[in-house]
Amino acid sequence: MSTIKDTCQNCEEQFDKGFRFCPYCGQKTNDELTIGVLFYNTISNYFSFDARFLKSFVPLMFKPGYLAKQFIKGKRLMYLHPAQMYLFISVVFFFLSSFTIAEWEKEANELNKKIASTPAVLNEDNQSKIDLDSIKKAKILEDIKKSGPKLGLKEADIKMADSIIQADTNNANVSWDFDKNKIDSLIKTGAEDAIIYKEMGMSDDAGYFERGVFKGMLNIAKGSGAGNMLRRAFDAVPITMFILLPLFALILKIFYFRRGRYAYHLVFTFYFFSFLFTLFAILLAVDRFLFEIPWWISFVLVLSTFFYFYLGLLKFYERHWFTTLIKSGFITFIFSILVVLTSGFLFFFGLMNA
């Protein structure tokens, strides 16, 4: 007796009639298009993500290495996938930090414009000097009055600092290694950058690095360099992390080469950086939308990330505490060097292609 067959509308495979779901692709067999069907997958995926994120949040923040350990053991549906968690948290973090960076960029550009527009005088070495008295006083005093109490300064200390700044900043200046008045004239007349570079002192056979330095100096002289450099430094962070995440996992593999394949170390890496971005995102959100966090609390929390990393290694790799302590120090040192080198390269590359 032949069995009646149905054909899946999605994968077009045949199966015995009576199945509610296709045994090949999982789609419902009588999936008529309704409003409920249209939004079912979106809603179910959203709430599934939401539930798994909430279930993952507490162990991520307070149980270092736990999520990575559970994922390696095979519990991969109970908690949020490490790569999915990292992508979600990093988007939230960079979104929140963009507000702060925008403010810094605006302040840097305003200060840069003041510096660029301030008349310069030549000193005995034919170098231009700009008096920053009016530029720096108000900013410095404002910061001291705002942050002084948090640093333990009393009203008398703040008044004394005010007097010292009023007396000493009259001598504050910024030196240019070129005749800024002449450069300003060339900029106003629309001279080509190559001519201005030569007037600034760039050598005829300047390499890639030297040209980048002079390009940055010219942008600052024009009044737009500081904010642009700050923005490009921030824009380089996501790319830097994209490059450094697999490198961090590779460092873990080198130090724990007998503790599983590379993918195991990558799982730990995703969860660890998810923790970092979650912590920093919380600090940014609280500081911006609720109340200003005292500097010492932020410092302690950031410092605690090194302790979290150590405990995570101890839990995940299950090695001796002293050996883990030594390895965590070396890993942190090596990775810090990679961060500086990669960030510097990407920032300089972006500056040259601005």
Side-chain angles (χ1 to χ4, degrees):
M1 183 177 179
S2 59
T3 305
I4 301 177
K5 298 285 187 179
D6 266 346
T7 301
C8 177
Q9 296 176 343
N10 180 55
C11 65
E12 299 183 353
E13 292 285 348
Q14 289 191 337
F15 53 87
D16 293 342
K17 190 175 181 62
F19 282 92
R20 294 180 58 194
F21 296 91
C22 173
Y24 297 97
C25 68
Q27 178 171 289
K28 292 185 68 174
T29 56
N30 57 342
D31 212 8
E32 295 183 7
L33 186 59
T34 62
I35 295 295
V37 171
L38 182 63
F39 292 102
Y40 171 76
N41 288 334
T42 301
I43 296 173
S44 63
N45 288 338
Y46 172 78
F47 282 107
S48 174
F49 169 85
D50 184 61
R52 284 184 292 146
F53 176 78
L54 294 176
K55 189 179 293 184
S56 305
F57 179 78
V58 173
L60 175 70
M61 300 304 294
F62 302 104
K63 300 177 71 173
Y66 176 82
L67 288 179
K69 194 75 173 178
Q70 295 301 307
F71 191 85
I72 296 301
K73 288 181 177 179
K75 295 183 178 180
R76 299 173 186 175
L77 294 179
M78 184 179 299
Y79 303 105
L80 196 60
H81 190 281
Q84 188 179 9
M85 173 171 280
Y86 171 77
L87 290 174
F88 173 72
I89 291 299
S90 61
V91 169
V92 173
F93 168 75
F94 288 116
F95 172 74
L96 291 172
S97 59
S98 64
F99 294 103
T100 302
I101 295 299
E103 293 177 357
W104 291 352
E105 182 182 9
K106 182 180 179 181
E107 293 177 359
N109 280 330
E110 290 177 353
L111 180 59
N112 196 166
K113 288 179 182 178
K114 290 181 180 179
I115 294 175
S117 61
T118 303
V121 295
L122 290 176
N123 62 10
E124 61 275 10
D125 298 323
N126 291 325
Q127 293 180 342
S128 299
K129 286 190 174 183
I130 298 177
D131 181 17
L132 293 184
D133 179 36
S134 59
I135 299 174
K136 299 181 74 174
K137 275 182 182 177
K139 181 63 177 174
I140 295 173
L141 292 175
E142 180 184 354
D143 291 342
I144 290 178
K145 291 177 181 178
K146 181 179 179 181
S147 304
K150 298 178 183 178
L151 299 175
L153 298 178
K154 299 179 181 179
E155 185 176 352
D157 300 323
I158 295 176
K159 289 182 178 180
M160 183 179 296
D162 190 342
S163 302
I164 294 173
I165 291 171
Q166 293 288 355
D168 290 351
T169 52
N170 290 325
N171 298 321
N173 57 70
V174 166
S175 295
W176 303 87
D177 291 329
F178 51 82
D179 186 347
K180 186 176 182 297
N181 290 326
K182 191 170 184 178
I183 297 301
D184 288 341
S185 300
L186 291 173
I187 294 173
K188 290 179 180 178
T189 56
E192 295 182 1
D193 288 352
I195 298 176
I196 301 178
Y197 290 152
K198 188 172 183 180
E199 188 63 37
M200 293 171 68
M202 189 176 76
S203 57
D204 296 333
D205 57 344
Y208 187 82
F209 179 77
E210 185 179 352
R211 292 185 65 84
V213 172
F214 276 90
K215 185 175 183 178
M217 292 171 60
L218 179 57
N219 286 334
I220 292 177
K222 289 180 178 180
S224 61
N228 289 339
M229 286 191 288
L230 185 65
R231 168 58 60 181
R232 292 196 172 277
F234 175 73
D235 290 342
V237 174
I239 304 176
T240 301
M241 297 311 302
F242 179 79
I243 296 173
L244 291 178
L245 273 175
L247 289 179
F248 187 84
L250 180 61
I251 296 173
L252 292 176
K253 174 64 177 176
I254 294 173
F255 277 85
Y256 294 96
F257 63 95
R258 295 180 180 176
R259 305 298 294 178
R261 58 191 62 172
Y262 176 76
Y264 291 11
H265 309 287
L266 197 56
V267 168
F268 179 88
T269 299
F270 276 128
Y271 279 126
F272 174 63
F273 280 93
S274 296
F275 160 76
L276 293 180
F277 281 139
T278 302
L279 177 62
F280 297 152
I282 292 174
L283 290 176
L284 285 172
V286 171
D287 197 63
R288 171 163 291 276
F289 301 113
L290 296 179
F291 55 86
E292 187 174 355
I293 301 176
W295 70 268
W296 63 269
I297 293 181
S298 299
F299 177 77
V300 170
L301 289 175
V302 172
L303 192 64
S304 69
T305 60
F306 298 99
F307 186 62
Y308 180 98
F309 177 57
Y310 165 71
L311 292 179
L313 292 178
L314 203 61
K315 172 71 175 179
F316 186 71
Y317 294 106
E318 298 179 340
R319 310 309 293 171
H320 191 270
W321 70 268
F322 184 74
T323 304
T324 303
L325 182 63
I326 298 298
K327 288 185 177 182
S328 64
F330 275 108
I331 293 171
T332 302
F333 176 74
I334 295 172
F335 186 69
S336 299
I337 295 177
L338 290 176
V339 169
V340 173
L341 293 177
T342 307
S343 302
F345 173 78
L346 290 175
F347 167 69
F348 186 75
F349 181 79
L351 189 64
M352 284 297 297
N353 291 276

